[in-house]
Structures are given as structure tokens and as C-alpha cells.
């Protein structure tokens, strides 16, 4: 039986027993990198995380396994208060899937590693840059007590990188812009203004990001909720 005292090897052995080749094939259709996957669903991995509890050193060992499910378990069981910027950078060097990136971004936001947003945005690697904008998207939602000025300070990054045509970057930039705009009325106006500027861009990717964001941010349903 797995639990808080289980080590990395025991947890990986437990995960191996739930391997599903059928699920691996299904994950590939959603753009999940499956070369080192066991085919276990996220809810099932989270269930293992609840049983095994947080353990930062063990999370580091799980990450080094290079197995998709073990890496997700590492992200779910790492201790945000103990996570360092250097550890986050080392993990980012291994990012090769939007799914891992988005789970890591939630952890990085919880760990208050905001300085990495600017660093990761400037990084040319697709999944590292996506991490920056996934962090912005998450921060806009989960940092409820953060000053609006902190959230709005990320808008120039969105404007700067809105022209990156790579699929996993452009979708994250769009996601970040929409989440800032949905935060509250104070953030809505600047985000919508930027979305409208981007929507008029001659660049195809920038224009798509702007138009898609305008479509949501200018909607009456959202405005009614924010008011």
C-alpha cells in the first residue's frame, strides 16, 4: 500500500501496475507526448498524490525518472515553499509537453516564482515560453490578493510575444490575455484595449490572439459578471 512513507521507486512501481496502452494511444491524439507515458489519467495520478502526500526531495527523484506520470506526480507532491528558482529552471529544461508545462505553471505560481515569467518569456524554446504565459494565466486567476498593478504589469509581455506563431505559445498568450481581462473590472479595460490593438495587427498570429480575446472580453455575459 502506498502512503506518505513510500519512496520514489515504490510510487513508480505502483504507477507501472496501472499502465494502459489504450490510454497512451488516446493521449497522443490530444497532443500529449507519450514516448515515456504509462497511460494513467490525471485524476488517478492526483489520487496517488493525495495518498503519498507532499515530499519535496522525493518529488525531485520522481522528476528524474523521465516518466510522464512520475513527473506529474512530482509536480503534485513538490512543496511550493521549498521550490527554488534553480529547481524550476532545471525542470523547464526538460519540458516537452503542454500538459506538463501547464501543471508546472500552477506549481510555479503557488511557489511565487514570478521572476521566472520574464525569463521564460524571453526564452526561445516553445515550451519554456509557454510556461511564462501559463503562469500569467494562472496568476491572474489564483493570485486573488495580488495588487491589480502586478497583474497588469504582464500585459507588455503579451504584446511583445503575441506574434509567436507556434501553436503552444500563441494559445498560451491568448489564454493569459483573456484571464487578465476576466479578473475584475480594473483589469478588464486594459486587457480589452490591448486585445483590440492586437486584433488590428497585420500579423496573422497577433490578429488571431486579439480577435479571439475581444470576442470573449467584450461579451455581455462576462461584463455582467464583472459588474
Amino acid at each position: 500500500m502506498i502512503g506518505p512513507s513510500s519512496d520514489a521507486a515504490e510510487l513508480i512501481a505502483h504507477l507501472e501496475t496501472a499502465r494502459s496502452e489504450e490510454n497512451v494511444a488516446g493521449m497522443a491524439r490530444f497532443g500529449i507526448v507519450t514516448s515515456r507515458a504509462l497511460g494513467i489519467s490525471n485524476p488517478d495520478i492526483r489520487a496517488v498524490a493525495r495518498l503519498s502526500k507532499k515530499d519535496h526531495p522525493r518529488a525531485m527523484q520522481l522528476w528524474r525518472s523521465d516518466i510522464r506520470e512520475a513527473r506529474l506526480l512530482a509536480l503534485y507532491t513538490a512543496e511550493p515553499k521549498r521550490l527554488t528558482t534553480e529547481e524550476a529552471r532545471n525542470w523547464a529544461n526538460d519540458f516537452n509537453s503542454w500538459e506538463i508545462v501547464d501543471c508546472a505553471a500552477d506549481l510555479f505560481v503557488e511557489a511565487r516564482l514570478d521572476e521566472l515569467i520574464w525569463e521564460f518569456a524571453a526564452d526561445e524554446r516553445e515550451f519554456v515560453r509557454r510556461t511564462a504565459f501559463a503562469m500569467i494565466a494562472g496568476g491572474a486567476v489564483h493570485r486573488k490578493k495580488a495588487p491589480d498593478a502586478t497583474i497588469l504589469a504582464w500585459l507588455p509581455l503579451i504584446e511583445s510575444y503575441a506574434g509567436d506563431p507556434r501553436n503552444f505559445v500563441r494559445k498560451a498568450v491568448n489564454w493569459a490575455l483573456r484571464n487578465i481581462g476576466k479578473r475584475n473590472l480594473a483589469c478588464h479595460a486594459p486587457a480589452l484595449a490591448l486585445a483590440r490593438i492586437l486584433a488590428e495587427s497585420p500579423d496573422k498570429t497577433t490578429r488571431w490572439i486579439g480577435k479571439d480575446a475581444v470576442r470573449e472580453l467584450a461579451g455581455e455575459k462576462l461584463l455582467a459578471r464583472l459588474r
Side-chain angles (χ1 to χ4, degrees):
M1 183 69 180
I2 60 168
S5 62
S6 299
D7 63 23
E10 289 169 331
L11 290 175
I12 291 170
H14 175 78
L15 292 171
E16 291 273 7
T17 65
R19 179 190 289 271
S20 167
E21 295 304 328
E22 184 181 352
N23 288 351
V24 169
M27 288 173 178
R29 290 195 290 273
F30 287 94
I32 294 172
V33 175
T34 58
S35 57
R36 292 281 286 159
L38 303 176
I40 305 172
S41 71
N42 260 291
D44 287 346
I45 299 169
R46 286 187 181 276
V48 174
R50 285 193 293 273
L51 290 171
S52 55
K53 306 298 184 184
K54 302 278 188 184
D55 186 319
H56 202 68
R58 187 185 63 200
M60 295 296 144
Q61 293 176 319
L62 287 167
W63 184 269
R64 287 195 288 272
S65 72
D66 194 28
I67 299 168
R68 168 193 172 265
E69 286 74 7
R71 285 189 163 177
L72 287 171
L73 187 57
L75 294 170
Y76 296 147
T77 59
E79 297 172 59
K81 290 181 179 178
R82 295 182 65 181
L83 186 70
T84 67
T85 53
E86 196 55 39
E87 287 168 342
R89 286 190 190 103
N90 288 338
W91 281 358
N93 289 333
D94 295 331
F95 288 167
N96 65 350
S97 168
W98 65 265
E99 176 194 38
I100 293 287
V101 164
D102 294 357
C103 288
D106 286 343
L107 173 63
F108 295 173
V109 167
E110 192 177 353
R112 298 290 196 268
L113 302 181
D114 290 7
E115 66 270 28
L116 290 177
I117 290 175
W118 304 87
E119 181 181 322
F120 286 167
D123 196 298
E124 289 296 332
R125 291 171 291 178
E126 182 175 10
F127 290 107
V128 179
R129 183 168 289 171
R130 179 185 174 88
T131 307
F133 294 99
M135 288 179 70
I136 292 173
V141 173
H142 300 300
R143 290 284 183 78
K144 298 186 186 304
K145 294 182 179 180
D148 291 333
T150 298
I151 308 301
L152 293 173
W154 295 327
L155 285 177
L157 279 177
I158 290 171
E159 186 170 13
S160 294
Y161 294 102
D164 190 325
R166 292 174 294 181
N167 187 48
F168 293 115
V169 176
R170 71 186 182 94
K171 286 186 175 180
V173 173
N174 171 265
W175 178 28
L177 178 56
R178 288 185 291 109
N179 275 14
I180 290 176
K182 291 187 289 184
R183 179 180 169 87
N184 56 35
L185 276 175
C187 290
H188 177 266
L192 180 56
L194 176 56
R196 285 177 167 148
I197 290 170
L198 299 180
E200 298 299 321
S201 172
D203 177 78
K204 179 182 176 183
T205 301
T206 305
R207 191 166 60 248
W208 174 81
I209 288 171
K211 284 186 174 181
D212 187 75
V214 168
R215 192 177 301 114
E216 182 170 7
L217 297 180
E220 283 302 320
K221 192 174 180 180
L222 174 63
L223 290 170
R225 180 177 70 78
L226 293 177
R227 291 192 185 107

